Amino acid sequence: MENTTTTISSDFIRTIISEDAKSNKNNGKVATRFPPEPNGFLHIGHAKSICLNFGIAKEFGGTCNLRFDDTNPSKENVEYVESIKKDVKWLGFDWEDRMFYASDYFERIYQYAVELIKRGKAYVCDLTQEQIREYRGTLTEPGKDSPYRNRTIQENIDLFERMKKGEFPDGSHVLRAKIDMASPNLVMRDPVIYRIKHEYHHRTKNEWSIYPMYDFAHCLSDSIEGITHSICTLEFEINRPLYDWTLDTLEVKCHPKQIEFARLNLSYTVLSKRKLIELVDANHVKGWDDPRMPTIAGLRRRGFTPESIRNFCQRIGVAKRDSLVDLQLLEYCIREDLNRIAKRVMAVIKPVRVVIVDYPENQVEDMEAINNPEDPSMGTRKVPFSKILYLEKDDFQENPPKKWFRLAPNQEVRLRYAYYITCREVIKDEETGEIIELRCTHDPETRGGGSKDGRKVKGTLHWVSAQHALKSEVRLYENLFLKSESNELDNDLNPKSIEIIKDCYVEQSLANSKIGDLYQFERQGYFCVDHDSKEDNLVFNRTVTLKDTWAKIEKSQK
RNA sequence: UGGGGCGUCGUCAAGCGGUAAGACACAGGAUUUUGGUUCCUGCAUUCGGAGGUUCGAAUCCUCCCGCCCCAGCCA
């Protein structure tokens, strides 16, 4: 995997790990894991975790496992497993032969539960869900012991075995760790570690009627895999005592160190799985890979590169304080990458017909255009020029404001790689007053876009030749949400998050573009070919606009 | 009101007792056949607040204030 940024990032997690490595803890080995639950698509927040876990493993010469935390069959399925694998790979990371599932360990985890019972540290409880809640107490009051807390070991073993055999209905019994109902940490008040679920599991099928809870399965899975550092997000900090209690009580050989960091929040979007699922289910977006989604699949379809996302993850850093990262940083990262690699091309999104009145009727000239000024090795291409063109409607104003460099009556501008032209006449629809055609003259001495007399032309406009251009569809995206934070699906969705424009014209050379190809439409932004694109109807997604200094000037003039 | 965590520029984020890195954003200016890119310049006398220790504190101590997480048989 290439990485052009060589900055050595040092965050508190890397500091801890490097100290452990130096003191030869775990024999100097470093083993991490990325443990998604396959109940949704990965998003940019997961990318932060992926970059962290795989990144650390690589930096310390260790390993990072991919492990599906599939302990709840009611929420998980294979579609999500496949999407997660695809996304991690696409981001540029490799778990080699280390792809695991918590469900791989169900038998061992079960045996650990039996062991816990034998050590007098777990019991089968018959309280209902509501009763368990009541017995748990509150934040300020201690809980009270379950009447089933002191069953004999034999009784517990028998009951737990019958739970496993499927003799009891869902919800009738649970296995609980016997810890301390008065603990100020609610997680430690005899947490449920196994529940009955007569449910089909996407991997173990109908083999199990009981499934371990996260707190029990996760630490043991880590331990089984020989993980040295178990990195998770802040909300699990409160679960750490239970993580440690379980491994200590069972006296396992491998006891990983859990370290928590702050999850990513990004402005103008949502990153909670609940809200993301809701967006998809309520059809606010067209699926998990809708280009407006902050999912890896959405970003990929939008035109983001893995490199730009990795770079973003490096720039945001890792710490323990809650934060809200500015979406503009993500945009900066993708512009930075695309500026380097995207082929320049001309496309007119909102066209106005322009006739060069003094240009020969049937003449066509091939103008030479540079493919990428940042990378001369990308070469040049020919762009056909002729008498009738399309220009961007917004590049003309009849009564231009101050500092307007673009086309206006009697104002000369340069057509990129072509000629200087001057607008002589504005043709309007007699009824609507809408501008339907601009008539311009050109200076034949300026072929290619330069003049011998050194005369200055302030504006340079993109254009396409009407008879050569390809009619195509462009989808413009804006932020999915209106507010920088705390967005709710009911009121805060941006109604203008997508604008589909069907009558766009792109230059001829785009005819053989392929799905996923990335371009810069000069002066407008970066675009990629969507997978809805067909040979006779090209579809482009706008990844991000170019920085627009004029828009700022215009805004400040108002 | 119990417990756990966190507070350094608009947003991220270094800093770990020796006198506030960097990035994004923002504001100027230069170059430019993309009002793009690039390049300069500016942008925290101050680190949630108040005391204290010290020759010296963002860093140590005390108290206070604010924000986040926990009462799923979710993860």
Side-chain angles (χ1 to χ4, degrees), chain A residues 453-527:
Chain A
D453 60 10
R455 135 171 64 113
K456 283 275 185 282
V457 170
K458 285 176 289 185
T460 300
L461 309 184
H462 61 277
W463 51 272
V464 292
S465 162
Q467 62 170 297
H468 299 95
L470 276 23
K471 196 168 182 179
S472 51
E473 177 177 330
V474 168
R475 298 173 182 171
L476 304 179
Y477 301 104
E478 281 180 26
N479 301 339
L480 225 201
F481 286 91
L482 295 168
K483 300 195 300 182
S484 65
E485 57 185 314
S486 320
N487 284 293
E488 292 301 334
L489 307 208
D490 18 338
N491 339 323
D492 303 326
L493 274 163
N494 178 5
K496 296 190 297 186
S497 61
I498 181 169
E499 181 184 1
I500 298 175
I501 305 175
K502 304 222 177 215
D503 302 316
C504 308
Y505 291 96
V506 302
E507 69 170 62
Q508 208 176 24
S509 71
L510 254 17
N512 41 25
S513 58
K514 285 183 268 317
I515 289 165
D517 282 355
L518 307 164
Y519 296 98
Q520 183 194 103
F521 287 2
E522 290 216 32
R523 304 206 308 129
Q524 311 205 79
Y526 295 98
F527 293 74

Coordinates of all heavy atoms in Angstrom, one line a residue, chain A residues 453-527:
Chain A
D453 N 0.0 40.1 -29.2 CA 0.2 41.4 -28.7 C 0.3 41.5 -27.2 O 0.4 42.5 -26.6 CB -0.9 42.4 -29.3 CG -2.3 41.9 -28.8 OD1 -2.4 41.0 -28.0 OD2 -3.3 42.4 -29.4
G454 N 0.1 40.4 -26.6 CA 0.2 40.3 -25.1 C -0.9 40.9 -24.4 O -0.9 41.2 -23.2
R455 N -2.0 41.1 -25.1 CA -3.2 41.7 -24.5 C -3.8 40.8 -23.4 O -3.8 39.6 -23.6 CB -4.2 42.0 -25.7 CG -5.6 41.6 -25.6 CD -6.4 42.2 -26.7 NE -6.0 41.6 -28.0 CZ -6.8 40.7 -28.7 NH1 -8.0 40.5 -28.3 NH2 -6.3 40.2 -29.9
K456 N -4.1 41.5 -22.4 CA -4.6 40.7 -21.2 C -6.1 40.4 -21.3 O -6.9 41.3 -21.6 CB -4.4 41.5 -19.9 CG -2.9 41.5 -19.5 CD -2.7 40.2 -18.6 CE -1.3 40.2 -18.0 NZ -0.2 39.9 -19.0
V457 N -6.5 39.2 -21.1 CA -7.9 38.8 -21.0 C -8.1 38.2 -19.7 O -7.4 37.3 -19.3 CB -8.2 37.8 -22.1 CG1 -9.6 37.2 -21.9 CG2 -8.1 38.4 -23.5
K458 N -9.0 38.8 -18.9 CA -9.2 38.4 -17.5 C -9.8 37.0 -17.3 O -9.4 36.2 -16.5 CB -10.0 39.4 -16.8 CG -9.1 40.7 -16.5 CD -10.0 41.7 -15.8 CE -11.0 42.3 -16.8 NZ -11.8 43.5 -16.3
G459 N -10.8 36.7 -18.2 CA -11.5 35.4 -18.0 C -11.2 34.4 -19.0 O -11.0 34.6 -20.2
T460 N -11.2 33.1 -18.5 CA -11.0 32.0 -19.4 C -12.2 31.0 -19.2 O -12.4 30.7 -18.0 CB -9.7 31.2 -19.1 OG1 -8.6 32.2 -19.3 CG2 -9.5 30.0 -20.0
L461 N -12.9 30.7 -20.2 CA -14.1 29.9 -20.0 C -13.9 28.5 -20.7 O -13.3 28.4 -21.7 CB -15.3 30.6 -20.6 CG -15.6 32.0 -20.2 CD1 -16.9 32.5 -20.9 CD2 -15.6 32.2 -18.7
H462 N -14.6 27.5 -20.1 CA -14.7 26.2 -20.8 C -15.8 26.2 -21.7 O -16.8 27.0 -21.6 CB -14.8 25.1 -19.7 CG -16.0 25.2 -18.8 ND1 -16.1 26.1 -17.7 CD2 -17.2 24.6 -19.0 CE1 -17.3 25.9 -17.2 NE2 -18.0 25.1 -17.9
W463 N -15.8 25.3 -22.7 CA -16.8 25.2 -23.7 C -16.8 23.8 -24.3 O -15.9 23.0 -24.1 CB -16.4 26.2 -24.8 CG -14.9 26.0 -25.3 CD1 -13.8 26.6 -24.7 CD2 -14.5 25.1 -26.3 NE1 -12.7 26.1 -25.3 CE2 -13.0 25.2 -26.3 CE3 -15.1 24.3 -27.2 CZ2 -12.2 24.5 -27.2 CZ3 -14.3 23.5 -28.1 CH2 -12.8 23.6 -28.1
V464 N -17.8 23.5 -25.1 CA -17.8 22.3 -25.9 C -18.4 22.7 -27.3 O -19.2 23.6 -27.4 CB -18.6 21.1 -25.3 CG1 -18.0 20.6 -24.0 CG2 -20.1 21.5 -25.0
S465 N -18.0 21.9 -28.3 CA -18.5 22.1 -29.6 C -19.9 21.4 -29.7 O -20.0 20.2 -29.4 CB -17.5 21.5 -30.7 OG -18.2 21.3 -31.9
A466 N -20.9 22.1 -30.1 CA -22.3 21.6 -30.1 C -22.4 20.3 -30.9 O -23.0 19.3 -30.5 CB -23.3 22.6 -30.6
Q467 N -21.8 20.2 -32.1 CA -22.0 19.1 -32.9 C -21.1 17.9 -32.4 O -21.4 16.7 -32.9 CB -21.6 19.4 -34.4 CG -20.2 19.8 -34.6 CD -19.9 19.9 -36.1 OE1 -19.9 18.9 -36.8 NE2 -19.5 21.1 -36.5
H468 N -20.2 18.1 -31.6 CA -19.3 17.0 -31.1 C -19.6 16.6 -29.7 O -19.3 15.4 -29.3 CB -17.8 17.4 -31.2 CG -17.4 17.8 -32.6 ND1 -17.3 19.1 -33.0 CD2 -16.9 17.0 -33.6 CE1 -16.9 19.1 -34.3 NE2 -16.7 17.9 -34.7
A469 N -20.2 17.4 -28.9 CA -20.4 17.2 -27.5 C -21.3 16.0 -27.3 O -22.2 15.7 -28.1 CB -20.9 18.4 -26.8
L470 N -21.1 15.3 -26.2 CA -22.0 14.2 -25.8 C -23.0 14.7 -24.7 O -22.6 15.2 -23.7 CB -21.1 13.1 -25.1 CG -20.3 12.1 -25.9 CD1 -20.1 12.5 -27.3 CD2 -19.1 11.7 -25.2
K471 N -24.2 14.5 -25.0 CA -25.2 14.8 -24.0 C -25.2 13.8 -22.9 O -25.1 12.6 -23.1 CB -26.6 14.7 -24.7 CG -27.7 15.4 -24.0 CD -28.9 15.6 -24.8 CE -30.0 16.3 -24.1 NZ -31.2 16.4 -25.0
S472 N -25.2 14.3 -21.7 CA -25.0 13.4 -20.6 C -25.7 13.9 -19.3 O -26.2 15.0 -19.3 CB -23.6 13.1 -20.3 OG -22.8 14.2 -20.2
E473 N -25.7 13.1 -18.3 CA -26.4 13.4 -17.0 C -25.3 13.7 -16.0 O -24.4 13.0 -15.8 CB -27.2 12.2 -16.7 CG -28.0 12.4 -15.3 CD -28.9 11.2 -15.0 OE1 -29.4 10.6 -16.0 OE2 -29.1 10.9 -13.8
V474 N -25.6 14.7 -15.2 CA -24.7 15.1 -14.1 C -25.5 15.2 -12.8 O -26.6 15.7 -12.8 CB -24.0 16.4 -14.4 CG1 -23.3 17.0 -13.2 CG2 -23.0 16.3 -15.5
R475 N -25.0 14.6 -11.8 CA -25.6 14.7 -10.5 C -24.8 15.5 -9.5 O -23.7 15.1 -9.2 CB -25.8 13.2 -9.9 CG -26.7 12.4 -10.9 CD -26.8 11.0 -10.5 NE -27.6 10.2 -11.4 CZ -27.7 8.9 -11.4 NH1 -27.1 8.2 -10.5 NH2 -28.5 8.3 -12.3
L476 N -25.4 16.6 -9.1 CA -24.7 17.5 -8.2 C -25.1 17.2 -6.7 O -26.3 17.1 -6.4 CB -25.0 18.9 -8.5 CG -24.8 19.4 -10.0 CD1 -25.2 20.8 -10.2 CD2 -23.3 19.2 -10.3
Y477 N -24.2 17.0 -5.9 CA -24.5 16.7 -4.5 C -24.1 17.9 -3.6 O -23.1 18.5 -3.8 CB -23.8 15.5 -4.1 CG -24.2 14.3 -4.9 CD1 -23.3 13.8 -5.9 CD2 -25.4 13.7 -4.7 CE1 -23.7 12.7 -6.7 CE2 -25.8 12.6 -5.5 CZ -24.9 12.1 -6.5 OH -25.3 11.0 -7.2
E478 N -24.9 18.0 -2.5 CA -24.5 18.9 -1.4 C -24.6 18.1 -0.2 O -25.0 17.0 -0.1 CB -25.5 20.1 -1.4 CG -25.2 21.2 -2.4 CD -26.1 22.3 -2.4 OE1 -26.7 22.6 -1.3 OE2 -26.3 23.0 -3.4
N479 N -24.3 18.8 1.0 CA -24.4 18.1 2.3 C -25.8 17.5 2.4 O -26.8 18.0 2.0 CB -24.2 19.1 3.4 CG -22.9 19.8 3.3 OD1 -21.9 19.3 2.7 ND2 -22.8 21.0 3.9
L480 N -25.7 16.3 3.0 CA -27.0 15.6 3.3 C -27.8 16.3 4.3 O -29.0 16.2 4.3 CB -26.6 14.2 3.8 CG -27.4 12.9 3.2 CD1 -27.3 11.8 4.2 CD2 -28.8 13.2 2.8
F481 N -27.1 16.9 5.3 CA -27.9 17.6 6.3 C -27.6 19.1 6.4 O -26.6 19.5 5.9 CB -27.5 17.0 7.7 CG -28.2 15.6 7.9 CD1 -27.5 14.5 7.5 CD2 -29.5 15.5 8.4 CE1 -28.1 13.2 7.6 CE2 -30.0 14.3 8.6 CZ -29.4 13.1 8.2
L482 N -28.5 19.8 7.0 CA -28.4 21.3 7.0 C -27.5 21.8 8.2 O -26.9 22.8 8.1 CB -29.8 21.9 7.2 CG -30.7 21.6 6.0 CD1 -32.2 22.0 6.3 CD2 -30.2 22.5 4.8
K483 N -27.6 21.1 9.3 CA -26.9 21.6 10.4 C -25.5 20.9 10.6 O -25.3 19.8 10.1 CB -27.7 21.3 11.7 CG -29.1 21.9 11.7 CD -29.7 21.9 13.1 CE -29.9 20.5 13.7 NZ -30.5 20.5 15.0
S484 N -24.6 21.6 11.2 CA -23.3 21.1 11.4 C -23.3 19.9 12.3 O -22.4 19.0 12.2 CB -22.3 22.1 11.8 OG -22.6 22.6 13.1
E485 N -24.2 19.9 13.3 CA -24.3 18.7 14.2 C -25.7 18.5 14.7 O -26.6 19.2 14.4 CB -23.3 19.0 15.4 CG -23.6 20.2 16.2 CD -22.6 20.5 17.2 OE1 -22.2 19.5 18.0 OE2 -22.1 21.6 17.4
S486 N -25.8 17.4 15.5 CA -27.1 17.0 16.1 C -28.2 16.9 15.0 O -29.3 17.4 15.3 CB -27.5 17.9 17.2 OG -26.5 18.3 18.0
N487 N -28.0 16.4 13.8 CA -29.0 16.4 12.8 C -30.0 15.3 13.1 O -29.6 14.1 13.4 CB -28.3 16.1 11.5 CG -27.7 17.4 10.9 OD1 -28.3 18.4 10.6 ND2 -26.3 17.4 10.9
E488 N -31.2 15.6 12.8 CA -32.3 14.6 12.9 C -32.9 14.4 11.6 O -33.0 15.3 10.8 CB -33.4 15.0 13.9 CG -32.9 15.1 15.4 CD -32.4 13.7 15.9 OE1 -32.8 12.7 15.4 OE2 -31.5 13.8 16.8
L489 N -33.4 13.2 11.3 CA -33.9 12.9 10.0 C -35.2 13.6 9.6 O -35.4 13.9 8.4 CB -34.1 11.4 9.8 CG -33.0 10.4 10.1 CD1 -33.1 9.2 9.3 CD2 -31.6 11.0 9.9
D490 N -35.9 13.9 10.6 CA -37.2 14.6 10.3 C -37.1 16.0 9.8 O -37.8 16.4 8.9 CB -38.2 14.5 11.5 CG -37.5 14.2 12.8 OD1 -36.3 13.6 12.8 OD2 -38.0 14.5 13.9
N491 N -36.3 16.8 10.5 CA -36.3 18.2 10.0 C -35.0 18.7 9.4 O -35.0 19.8 8.8 CB -36.6 19.2 11.2 CG -37.2 18.6 12.3 OD1 -38.1 17.8 12.1 ND2 -36.9 19.0 13.5
D492 N -33.9 18.0 9.6 CA -32.6 18.6 9.2 C -32.0 18.1 7.9 O -30.9 18.4 7.6 CB -31.7 18.3 10.4 CG -32.2 18.9 11.7 OD1 -32.9 19.9 11.7 OD2 -31.9 18.3 12.7
L493 N -32.8 17.3 7.2 CA -32.3 16.8 5.9 C -32.2 18.0 4.9 O -33.1 18.8 4.9 CB -33.2 15.8 5.3 CG -32.9 14.3 5.7 CD1 -34.1 13.4 5.5 CD2 -31.7 13.8 5.0
N494 N -31.1 18.1 4.1 CA -31.0 19.1 3.1 C -31.8 18.8 1.9 O -31.5 17.8 1.2 CB -29.5 19.3 2.8 CG -29.3 20.4 1.7 OD1 -30.2 21.0 1.3 ND2 -28.1 20.5 1.3
P495 N -32.9 19.5 1.6 CA -33.7 19.2 0.4 C -33.0 19.3 -0.9 O -33.4 18.7 -1.9 CB -34.9 20.2 0.5 CG -34.3 21.3 1.4 CD -33.3 20.7 2.3
K496 N -31.9 20.0 -0.9 CA -31.1 20.2 -2.1 C -29.8 19.3 -2.1 O -28.9 19.6 -2.8 CB -30.7 21.6 -2.3 CG -31.9 22.6 -2.4 CD -31.4 24.0 -2.8 CE -30.6 24.6 -1.7 NZ -30.2 26.0 -2.0
S497 N -29.9 18.2 -1.4 CA -28.7 17.4 -1.3 C -28.3 16.7 -2.6 O -27.2 16.3 -2.9 CB -28.8 16.3 -0.2 OG -29.9 15.5 -0.5
I498 N -29.3 16.6 -3.5 CA -29.0 16.1 -4.8 C -29.8 16.9 -5.9 O -30.9 17.3 -5.7 CB -29.4 14.6 -5.0 CG1 -29.1 14.1 -6.4 CG2 -30.9 14.3 -4.6 CD1 -29.1 12.6 -6.5
E499 N -29.1 17.2 -7.0 CA -29.7 17.9 -8.1 C -29.3 17.1 -9.4 O -28.1 17.0 -9.6 CB -29.3 19.3 -8.2 CG -29.9 20.1 -9.4 CD -29.4 21.5 -9.5 OE1 -28.5 21.9 -8.8 OE2 -29.9 22.2 -10.5
I500 N -30.3 16.6 -10.1 CA -29.9 15.8 -11.3 C -30.2 16.6 -12.5 O -31.3 17.2 -12.7 CB -30.8 14.5 -11.3 CG1 -30.5 13.7 -10.1 CG2 -30.6 13.7 -12.6 CD1 -31.4 12.4 -10.0
I501 N -29.2 16.8 -13.3 CA -29.3 17.6 -14.5 C -29.0 16.7 -15.7 O -28.0 16.1 -15.8 CB -28.2 18.8 -14.5 CG1 -28.5 19.6 -13.2 CG2 -28.4 19.7 -15.7 CD1 -27.5 20.6 -13.0
K502 N -30.0 16.7 -16.6 CA -29.9 15.7 -17.7 C -29.4 16.2 -19.0 O -28.9 15.5 -19.8 CB -31.3 15.1 -17.9 CG -32.0 14.5 -16.7 CD -32.7 13.2 -17.0 CE -33.2 12.6 -15.7 NZ -33.2 11.2 -15.6
D503 N -29.5 17.5 -19.2 CA -29.1 18.0 -20.5 C -27.7 18.7 -20.4 O -27.6 19.9 -20.7 CB -30.1 19.0 -21.1 CG -31.4 18.3 -21.2 OD1 -31.4 17.2 -21.7 OD2 -32.5 18.9 -20.8
C504 N -26.7 18.0 -20.0 CA -25.4 18.5 -19.9 C -24.6 18.1 -21.2 O -25.0 17.1 -21.8 CB -24.7 18.0 -18.7 SG -25.6 18.2 -17.2
Y505 N -23.6 18.8 -21.5 CA -22.8 18.4 -22.7 C -21.3 18.3 -22.2 O -20.7 19.2 -21.6 CB -22.9 19.5 -23.8 CG -24.2 19.5 -24.4 CD1 -25.2 20.4 -23.9 CD2 -24.6 18.6 -25.4 CE1 -26.5 20.4 -24.5 CE2 -25.8 18.6 -26.0 CZ -26.8 19.5 -25.5 OH -28.0 19.5 -26.1
V506 N -20.8 17.1 -22.5 CA -19.4 16.9 -22.2 C -18.5 16.7 -23.4 O -19.1 16.3 -24.5 CB -19.2 15.7 -21.2 CG1 -20.0 15.9 -20.0 CG2 -19.6 14.4 -21.9
E507 N -17.3 16.9 -23.3 CA -16.5 16.8 -24.5 C -16.4 15.4 -25.0 O -16.4 14.4 -24.3 CB -15.1 17.4 -24.3 CG -14.2 16.7 -23.4 CD -12.7 17.2 -23.4 OE1 -12.6 18.3 -23.0 OE2 -11.8 16.4 -23.7
Q508 N -16.2 15.3 -26.3 CA -16.1 14.0 -27.1 C -15.2 12.9 -26.4 O -15.6 11.8 -26.4 CB -15.6 14.3 -28.4 CG -16.1 13.5 -29.5 CD -15.5 13.9 -30.9 OE1 -14.5 14.6 -31.0 NE2 -16.2 13.6 -31.9
S509 N -14.1 13.4 -25.9 CA -13.1 12.4 -25.4 C -13.7 11.5 -24.3 O -13.1 10.5 -23.9 CB -11.9 13.1 -25.0 OG -12.1 13.8 -23.8
L510 N -14.8 12.0 -23.7 CA -15.3 11.2 -22.6 C -16.1 10.0 -23.0 O -16.6 9.2 -22.2 CB -16.3 12.1 -21.7 CG -15.8 12.6 -20.4 CD1 -14.3 12.5 -20.2 CD2 -16.2 14.0 -20.1
A511 N -16.3 9.8 -24.4 CA -17.1 8.8 -24.9 C -16.6 7.4 -24.4 O -17.4 6.5 -24.2 CB -17.0 8.8 -26.4
N512 N -15.3 7.2 -24.2 CA -14.9 5.9 -23.8 C -14.5 5.8 -22.3 O -13.7 5.0 -21.9 CB -13.7 5.4 -24.7 CG -12.7 6.5 -25.0 OD1 -12.7 7.5 -24.2 ND2 -12.0 6.4 -26.1
S513 N -15.1 6.7 -21.5 CA -14.9 6.6 -20.1 C -15.6 5.4 -19.5 O -16.5 4.9 -20.0 CB -15.4 7.9 -19.4 OG -16.8 8.1 -19.7
K514 N -15.0 5.0 -18.4 CA -15.5 3.8 -17.7 C -16.0 4.1 -16.3 O -15.5 5.1 -15.7 CB -14.4 2.7 -17.7 CG -14.1 2.1 -19.0 CD -13.1 1.0 -18.9 CE -11.6 1.4 -19.2 NZ -11.4 2.3 -20.3
I515 N -16.9 3.3 -15.8 CA -17.4 3.4 -14.5 C -16.3 3.6 -13.5 O -15.3 2.8 -13.5 CB -18.3 2.3 -14.1 CG1 -19.6 2.4 -15.0 CG2 -18.7 2.2 -12.6 CD1 -20.5 1.1 -15.0
G516 N -16.4 4.6 -12.7 CA -15.4 4.9 -11.7 C -14.3 5.8 -12.1 O -13.5 6.3 -11.2
D517 N -14.2 6.1 -13.4 CA -13.2 7.1 -13.8 C -13.4 8.4 -13.2 O -14.5 8.9 -13.0 CB -13.2 7.2 -15.4 CG -12.6 6.0 -16.1 OD1 -12.0 5.2 -15.4 OD2 -12.7 6.0 -17.3
L518 N -12.2 9.1 -12.9 CA -12.3 10.3 -12.2 C -11.8 11.5 -13.1 O -10.8 11.3 -13.8 CB -11.3 10.3 -10.9 CG -11.6 9.1 -10.0 CD1 -10.4 8.9 -9.1 CD2 -12.8 9.3 -9.2
Y519 N -12.5 12.5 -13.1 CA -12.2 13.7 -13.9 C -12.3 15.0 -13.2 O -13.0 15.1 -12.2 CB -13.1 13.8 -15.1 CG -13.0 12.6 -16.1 CD1 -13.9 11.6 -16.0 CD2 -12.0 12.5 -17.0 CE1 -13.9 10.5 -16.8 CE2 -11.9 11.5 -17.9 CZ -12.9 10.4 -17.8 OH -12.8 9.3 -18.6
Q520 N -11.5 16.0 -13.7 CA -11.8 17.3 -13.2 C -12.6 18.0 -14.4 O -12.0 18.0 -15.5 CB -10.6 18.1 -12.9 CG -11.0 19.5 -12.4 CD -9.8 20.5 -12.4 OE1 -9.7 21.4 -13.2 NE2 -8.9 20.4 -11.4
F521 N -13.8 18.4 -14.2 CA -14.4 19.3 -15.2 C -13.9 20.6 -14.9 O -14.1 21.2 -13.8 CB -16.0 19.2 -15.0 CG -16.6 18.0 -15.4 CD1 -15.9 16.9 -15.9 CD2 -18.0 17.8 -15.3 CE1 -16.6 15.7 -16.2 CE2 -18.7 16.7 -15.7 CZ -17.9 15.6 -16.1
E522 N -13.1 21.2 -15.9 CA -12.4 22.4 -15.6 C -13.3 23.5 -15.1 O -14.4 23.7 -15.6 CB -11.6 22.8 -16.8 CG -10.5 21.9 -17.1 CD -9.2 22.6 -17.7 OE1 -9.0 23.7 -17.3 OE2 -8.5 22.0 -18.5
R523 N -12.8 24.2 -14.1 CA -13.5 25.3 -13.4 C -14.7 24.9 -12.6 O -15.3 25.8 -12.0 CB -13.9 26.4 -14.5 CG -12.7 26.9 -15.3 CD -12.9 28.3 -15.8 NE -14.2 28.4 -16.5 CZ -15.1 29.3 -16.2 NH1 -14.9 30.3 -15.3 NH2 -16.2 29.3 -16.8
Q524 N -15.0 23.6 -12.6 CA -16.3 23.3 -11.9 C -16.1 22.3 -10.7 O -16.7 22.6 -9.7 CB -17.2 22.7 -12.9 CG -17.4 23.5 -14.1 CD -18.7 23.3 -14.8 OE1 -19.7 23.9 -14.4 NE2 -18.7 22.5 -15.8
G525 N -15.3 21.3 -10.9 CA -15.2 20.4 -9.8 C -14.7 19.0 -10.3 O -14.3 18.9 -11.4
Y526 N -14.6 18.1 -9.3 CA -14.2 16.8 -9.7 C -15.4 15.9 -9.8 O -16.4 16.0 -9.0 CB -13.3 16.2 -8.6 CG -12.0 17.0 -8.5 CD1 -11.8 18.0 -7.6 CD2 -11.0 16.8 -9.4 CE1 -10.7 18.8 -7.5 CE2 -9.8 17.5 -9.4 CZ -9.7 18.5 -8.5 OH -8.5 19.2 -8.4
F527 N -15.4 15.0 -10.8 CA -16.6 14.2 -11.1 C -16.1 12.8 -11.4 O -15.0 12.6 -11.8 CB -17.3 14.7 -12.4 CG -18.0 16.1 -12.2 CD1 -17.2 17.2 -12.1 CD2 -19.4 16.1 -12.0 CE1 -17.9 18.5 -11.9 CE2 -20.0 17.4 -11.8 CZ -19.2 18.5 -11.7

